[in-house]
């Protein structure tokens, strides 16, 4: 499959969903699902410290350069969006 058929480059992730929620402490966080150009789907946690950036930049249906880090349990955590 040609890479040119995708609306994003190999360095970008396509945002499939962004689901905000409120923690027990009353802070906002989210769960998002992204896909890379190989159609690998990755769930990503957006903690309160990154919530505003994620909320503003990770609109479903858009492609973004997303930086991740791994949590202690191996989950992907949002670390930044370009």
């Amino acid at each position: 499959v040609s890479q040119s058929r995708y609306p994003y480059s190999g360095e970008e992730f396509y945002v499939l969903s962004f689901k905000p929620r409120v923690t027990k402490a009353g802070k906002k966080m989210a769960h998002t699902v992204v896909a890379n150009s190989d159609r690998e789907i990755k769930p990503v946690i957006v903690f309160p410290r990154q919530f505003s950036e994620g909320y503003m930049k990770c609109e479903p249906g858009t492609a973004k350069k997303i930086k991740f880090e791994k949590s202690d349990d191996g989950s992907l955590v949002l670390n930044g969006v370009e």
Side-chain angles (χ1 to χ4, degrees), residues 8-53:
Y8 51 96
S9 72
E11 297 177 358
E12 294 178 315
F13 289 87
Y14 187 76
V15 181
L16 298 169
S17 72
F18 189 90
K19 306 264 187 209
R21 69 179 192 89
V22 178
T23 67
K24 291 179 188 176
K27 296 182 178 182
K28 292 182 181 179
M29 67 177 292
H31 294 277
T32 186
V33 178
V34 299
N36 64 15
S37 60
D38 293 330
R39 295 185 179 176
E40 295 173 332
I41 295 174
K42 300 177 183 292
V44 181
I45 300 168
V46 183
F47 284 116
R49 63 183 163 79
Q50 291 295 126
F51 179 81
S52 60
E53 180 178 15

